[in-house]
Amino acid sequence: MCQHTPVDKIVIPYMNEVEGISTMPVPGRRCPACLERGDTVWVIPGKCCPQCGTPVN
Ligand SMILES: [Zn+2]
């Protein structure tokens, strides 16, 4: 059985306070810069990493 799980993509909750929507699942990506340091930081594509500010597309 193949147990491989694609970890490059994951659905994370996104708080949209402007629209008043509590949760909206969006695809997230890991920050490559933080990943090199051994940290796994999930960033919404098109946003900047909250830890180091690296733009993630
Ligand atoms: Zn980062």
Side-chain angles (χ1 to χ4, degrees), residues 9-32:
K9 281 189 174 182
I10 192 172
V11 176
I12 59 175
Y14 174 60
M15 303 294 287
N16 193 330
E17 299 175 4
V18 177
E19 297 293 334
I21 302 172
S22 58
T23 55
M24 182 171 62
V26 295
R29 298 197 60 185
R30 288 179 299 185
C31 171

Side-chain angles (χ1 to χ4, degrees), residues 3 6 10 13 17-18 23 25-26 30 33-34 36 38 41-42 45 47 50 55-57:
Q3 298 289 327
I10 192 172
E17 299 175 4
V18 177
T23 55
V26 295
R30 288 179 299 185
C34 288
E36 288 185 2
V41 180
W42 293 101
K47 300 288 186 179
V56 177
N57 297 308

Side-chain angles (χ1 to χ4, degrees), residues 7-8 29-43 49-54 56:
V7 292
D8 285 335
R29 298 197 60 185
R30 288 179 299 185
C31 171
C34 288
L35 200 62
E36 288 185 2
R37 298 203 306 264
D39 296 329
T40 301
V41 180
W42 293 101
V43 185
C49 172
Q51 296 294 323
C52 67
T54 299
V56 177

